Amino acid sequence: MIQKSSGSGRRILTCPAIHPCDSISPSTLLNSLVDLGGDICSYKSKVFSVNKRNARETFRQIANILLFLQEIRDTTSDLPHPVILSLSELHLTFQKIRCLLEDCTRDGTRAWMLVSSDWAANQFRIVIRGLATGLDVFPLSTVDMSNEAKDLVELIIRQVRKASFDPDPDDKKAVKDLMRIMNHFEEGIAPDPIEIRRILDHLGIDKWSSCNKEVKFLDSEIGTEFSNEENKTKLELLCSLMGFMSYCRCVIFDTVDFESQHLNGQCSNISKDLKGINVDDLKCPISLEMMSDPVTLSSGHTYDRCSILKWFRSGNATCPKTGEKLTSTELVPNLVLKGLIQQYCAENGIPVVVSRGKNRDISRTVMAGSSAGEGAMKMLAGFLINKLVNGSGEEMNKAAFEIRVLTKTSIFNRSCLVESGTIPHLLKLLLSEDSNTQENSIAALLNLSKHSKGKCVIVENEGLDLIVHVLRKGLKIEAQQHAAATLYYLASVEENRVLIGENPEAIAGLVELVKNENHHCKRNALVAIFGLLVHPENHWRLLASGVVPLLLNLLRDSEREDLVTDSLAILATLAEKIDGTVAILRRGALQLLVGILDTCTSRTGKEYCVSMLLALCVNGGLDVVARLVKIPSLMGSLYSQLSEGTSRASKKASAIIKILHQFYENNSSSASVTPVLPREQFVHVW
């Protein structure tokens, strides 16, 4: 059987063509060949930024071959074996042609296809020669067909052999111009915008979003090639191209047409593929979050892979939606839905969801990767600072947005922009009355705060007060959540933890943000609070803010594992001091904590839970221990941590077990103490 492949999962300039199986029927083979030929001809309507002439010649020859194949299919029912072998070779060549045409027209690959235009032209030459060879050995005498068809085959063979399939002269000129501009970047010479536009016009890149797609493609290729030490030349070329396209995106295009709320707070219309789709159908029924890796069960219902695996690990063998027992726990990837989710995220400015545990490693971006890429970024930094200082309100907003984009996934870009002095200008924009400018500025500062020097520059320029101002009075909730995350990164420095704690509005603002319904707001605020607790003086400040009852309510009400784990982390740290223990016990938290220990699926969450219980036992005295001894389910949960928990959870669970056993032994004569385990089952763990 022969299946069509869209090639969507294939890397650029790779060809997964395979021979049809030996047992294929002649009619199936012919039908598949005709279908493949139709697919190839459908590429006529697509844009070829490079190798236009070679593509046109290919379409002409394929159209002629299709006439020949259709006559064979319509007039001959039984084909001899030599004919089938020849058609199989044609099928293989057709597959290669389709892959080549797909690469030449694939969205976001135009710059790379330009510098690869010689290679692509050679591939056109090879595949067309393959057609000629396949037709040359075709046993025409064994097939009942018209003389016109036979003459057509001979004509095709002659034409194909004469065709040169050289690179287009316009492509060669564009490549030469591009290389000259990248040399200018290396030498620190600003390129002529007219020359850049000429190259972009040749490639058909006429707007910001098209340029951004090129950058994303190049970034993904760099990530793939980074570990390949045998091809450093290709890696340097990719990095240089990425520097060029990043420069173009920021400097050449004044208007951002990206379907994002980040720049102008508006979304474009959803594409035809997404019309009529309920957004809730793109969310996991368990986590209620957008799915990153949708998989379908035997029941026909789809869930996010990480969520359904947790469901199974909890001992469930049923479909969460229907409750029916599953005949199989096999997970089938739902690639169609995954594509729709990615499309929806792209068209609504939502970062593409990444499966937990697979967050991207950007350590490779410490260096620019090439001299041209480094030079382009340094020039770009100067351009953006000029816009921040001298630009109009709209230009300042765009500059802040570009910095936000550039610093999101590149350590080198962060370093370059910190060194160039962007931070003081971004801090001033935090007081902007334009909500989008404020949001883009704080988001850019968030990324720059991840850089070690960036933290110092922010604090030295009195940025803490401005960030806290956004935290408390940000014009958009997104700006407030970015401010909370920025405080988290700043708090990784001891001196900053002290300064943030001493700001009377900082902790109050974080606690207030925990109350927000937005999940990201809660999460950012919680991790920032946890970071501040490293400084001992911030303990009493947090207790005074009323954070304990707020977190305990969150533990009771939240169904999100990450929020539960973060809340437990804060409470466990507070419980290490007596005043924290008192505040937690006053709220009757013991039964709640035991219940979480029994039901929580996160090993980290269980560890924090055990840690808190141990702290409550130590600081709360015999009264706490006496109450814990009376909870029947506790001992089983603690014993499970000895074998299933983290190493720290195991040690702390062992300590609690020892405390409970000693208490029981010392008070075994008291009628008020209910045995946790039968006497003969007591096990001392040291």
Side-chain angles (χ1 to χ4, degrees):
M1 183 177 180
I2 299 171
Q3 296 179 335
K4 294 181 182 179
S5 171
S6 67
S8 59
R10 179 175 63 84
R11 283 193 67 205
I12 196 80
L13 302 183
T14 62
C15 185
I18 57 172
H19 276 97
C21 61
D22 294 336
S23 60
I24 190 170
S25 70
S27 61
T28 301
L29 180 57
L30 269 171
N31 286 331
S32 181
L33 261 173
V34 172
D35 288 344
L36 261 175
D39 285 348
I40 290 170
C41 290
S42 70
Y43 279 85
K44 285 182 182 179
S45 61
K46 298 193 176 185
V47 176
F48 284 81
S49 58
V50 296
N51 275 282
K52 300 180 181 72
R53 186 177 59 186
N54 292 334
R56 285 196 299 270
E57 179 63 22
T58 300
F59 291 137
R60 191 168 72 86
Q61 299 301 343
I62 293 296
N64 289 334
I65 293 174
L66 274 177
L67 295 174
F68 160 64
L69 293 174
Q70 287 165 346
E71 178 161 338
I72 296 177
R73 185 179 63 176
D74 296 340
T75 60
T76 308
S77 58
D78 188 25
L79 296 173
H81 186 64
V83 173
I84 295 175
L85 289 176
S86 181
L87 292 178
S88 294
E89 289 300 322
L90 282 177
H91 194 283
L92 182 70
T93 304
F94 271 32
Q95 292 177 63
K96 293 178 180 179
I97 291 173
R98 185 174 64 180
C99 285
L100 183 56
L101 294 173
E102 182 191 339
D103 287 345
C104 289
T105 58
R106 190 181 295 187
D107 215 15
T109 65
R110 296 183 181 185
W112 182 241
M113 287 305 301
L114 176 63
V115 297
S116 306
S117 55
D118 283 354
W119 181 94
N122 187 52
Q123 291 304 303
F124 274 110
R125 186 183 303 112
I126 291 171
V127 293
I128 296 301
R129 293 286 186 270
L131 289 179
T133 302
L135 293 173
D136 202 20
V137 298
F138 192 93
L140 293 173
S141 59
T142 62
V143 180
D144 183 19
M145 60 191 315
S146 66
N147 290 329
E148 289 82 0
K150 293 179 181 179
D151 292 341
L152 178 60
V153 172
E154 293 174 357
L155 175 64
I156 293 170
I157 293 172
R158 288 196 301 272
Q159 289 180 340
V160 166
R161 284 176 175 168
K162 287 181 181 179
S164 62
F165 288 95
D166 293 325
D168 284 3
D170 290 344
D171 292 345
K172 296 180 82 169
K173 183 179 185 308
V175 171
K176 186 177 179 181
D177 292 343
L178 176 59
M179 294 303 173
R180 183 172 62 254
I181 288 173
M182 290 198 289
N183 286 335
H184 286 339
F185 284 139
E186 290 184 18
E187 296 165 2
I189 301 172
D192 185 349
I194 296 176
E195 285 191 7
I196 292 179
R197 286 190 179 277
R198 191 161 51 237
I199 294 171
L200 296 177
D201 289 343
H202 177 76
L203 295 175
I205 299 173
D206 57 357
K207 52 188 178 180
W208 190 97
S209 59
S210 300
C211 201
N212 192 49
K213 288 177 182 177
E214 298 286 322
V215 173
K216 286 185 175 182
F217 167 76
L218 292 167
D219 188 38
S220 67
E221 283 294 293
I222 291 170
T224 303
E225 292 292 336
F226 185 72
S227 58
N228 184 6
E229 296 183 358
E230 298 178 359
N231 209 346
K232 289 185 177 180
T233 302
K234 179 180 178 182
L235 182 61
E236 286 185 8
L237 180 56
L238 285 165
C239 292
S240 297
L241 270 180
M242 186 170 174
F244 170 76
M245 295 309 303
S246 296
Y247 184 89
C248 293
R249 185 182 64 189
C250 297
V251 176
I252 300 301
F253 299 107
D254 297 328
T255 304
V256 177
D257 64 311
F258 182 48
E259 301 85 349
S260 169
Q261 298 181 13
H262 297 328
L263 188 74
N264 53 28
Q266 297 177 350
C267 294
S268 68
N269 293 329
I270 297 175
S271 69
K272 293 179 180 178
D273 292 341
L274 296 172
K275 284 184 178 178
I277 287 184
N278 186 344
V279 177
D280 288 338
D281 293 336
L282 307 180
K283 297 179 179 180
C284 176
I286 298 175
S287 69
L288 302 181
E289 290 291 314
M290 200 74 74
M291 288 183 276
S292 62
D293 188 7
V295 291
T296 302
L297 304 183
S298 58
S299 64
H301 291 283
T302 300
Y303 304 88
D304 207 8
R305 184 185 294 274
C306 62
S307 296
I308 195 63
L309 285 176
K310 288 173 188 172
W311 174 263
F312 289 154
R313 283 196 293 268
S314 298
N316 301 297
T318 57
C319 174
K321 242 184 174 182
T322 64
E324 66 177 280
K325 189 169 184 179
L326 297 171
T327 56
S328 168
T329 56
E330 181 182 3
L331 305 178
V332 179
N334 193 328
L335 299 180
V336 174
L337 182 58
K338 186 174 184 178
L340 287 174
I341 292 170
Q342 291 175 342
Q343 186 178 349
Y344 177 84
C345 290
E347 295 195 359
N348 288 277
I350 301 171
V352 176
V353 187
V354 180
S355 299
R356 188 175 297 173
K358 296 183 180 179
N359 290 329
R360 184 175 165 214
D361 179 14
I362 65 168
S363 58
R364 62 173 176 79
T365 65
V366 171
M367 304 298 292
S370 71
S371 299
E374 181 178 348
M377 188 59 223
K378 288 180 178 179
M379 285 187 193
L380 187 50
F383 172 85
L384 291 170
I385 285 182
N386 181 55
K387 293 297 181 183
L388 290 175
V389 175
N390 302 313
S392 63
E394 186 177 343
E395 288 174 329
M396 289 180 180
N397 179 31
K398 182 177 183 291
F401 173 72
E402 296 287 5
I403 295 171
R404 174 181 186 173
V405 174
L406 286 166
T407 55
K408 186 173 179 61
T409 56
S410 173
I411 297 172
F412 174 77
N413 290 354
R414 292 171 192 166
S415 175
C416 192
L417 287 161
V418 168
E419 295 288 347
S420 64
T422 57
I423 287 177
H425 306 295
L426 288 170
L427 287 171
K428 292 177 183 177
L429 292 182
L430 295 184
L431 297 175
S432 171
E433 295 181 0
D434 179 74
S435 62
N436 297 304
T437 300
Q438 186 186 67
E439 184 199 350
N440 285 319
S441 300
I442 188 62
L445 287 165
L446 164 60
N447 295 335
L448 294 172
S449 71
K450 299 173 186 178
H451 189 272
S452 56
K453 187 174 180 181
K455 296 178 179 65
C456 298
V457 176
I458 289 173
V459 175
E460 288 170 0
N461 284 272
E462 300 180 351
L464 273 180
D465 289 342
L466 292 169
I467 292 167
V468 173
H469 165 76
V470 176
L471 176 72
R472 294 290 273 166
K473 300 178 181 179
L475 300 175
K476 295 170 70 174
I477 193 64
E478 291 82 3
Q480 291 178 286
Q481 80 181 42
H482 293 319
T486 306
L487 290 179
Y488 165 74
Y489 284 104
L490 293 177
S492 62
V493 178
E494 174 61 30
E495 293 81 359
N496 294 346
R497 287 193 287 271
V498 176
L499 293 173
I500 295 170
E502 290 174 348
N503 186 306
E505 296 289 311
I507 289 178
L510 291 172
V511 171
E512 192 65 29
L513 207 57
V514 175
K515 300 175 184 177
N516 194 280
E517 292 300 317
N518 183 289
H519 163 251
H520 295 294
C521 284
K522 288 181 182 290
R523 188 85 204 278
N524 288 359
L526 288 172
V527 296
I529 289 170
F530 183 67
L532 292 175
L533 277 173
V534 178
H535 179 56
E537 287 295 309
N538 288 331
H539 279 246
W540 68 264
R541 294 188 177 106
L542 276 164
L543 291 174
S545 72
V547 75
V548 170
L550 179 63
L551 295 181
L552 291 175
N553 287 335
L554 193 59
L555 292 181
R556 292 186 182 95
D557 302 334
S558 179
E559 296 180 358
R560 293 196 59 98
E561 183 181 280
D562 53 354
L563 296 181
V564 169
T565 300
D566 292 338
S567 300
L568 287 170
I570 296 170
L571 289 168
T573 306
L574 291 173
E576 291 173 0
K577 293 190 175 182
I578 293 178
D579 52 355
T581 292
V582 171
I584 292 170
L585 291 176
R586 279 178 179 170
R587 295 286 169 171
L590 280 182
Q591 190 69 49
L592 173 64
L593 294 176
V594 173
I596 292 173
L597 180 61
D598 189 41
T599 58
C600 183
T601 58
S602 165
R603 294 179 79 212
T604 305
K606 286 180 180 288
E607 178 187 321
Y608 284 127
C609 204
V610 171
S611 178
M612 191 177 350
L613 286 171
L614 179 58
L616 294 177
C617 286
V618 173
N619 294 331
L622 295 180
D623 180 58
V624 173
V625 178
R627 280 188 278 169
L628 288 178
V629 166
K630 295 179 181 180
I631 303 177
S633 63
L634 174 60
M635 194 61 81
S637 298
L638 291 173
Y639 271 113
S640 68
Q641 288 302 294
L642 299 180
S643 57
E644 299 172 8
T646 64
S647 59
R648 285 179 294 187
S650 176
K651 290 177 182 178
K652 292 183 178 182
S654 173
I656 297 174
I657 291 170
K658 180 180 178 181
I659 290 171
L660 296 178
H661 282 167
Q662 287 178 341
F663 179 86
Y664 177 77
E665 290 172 351
N666 293 336
N667 298 272
S668 57
S669 60
S670 173
S672 62
V673 178
T674 304
V676 180
L677 288 175
R679 184 69 178 86
E680 61 272 14
Q681 293 187 28
F682 280 4
V683 179
H684 289 281
V685 184
W686 301 93

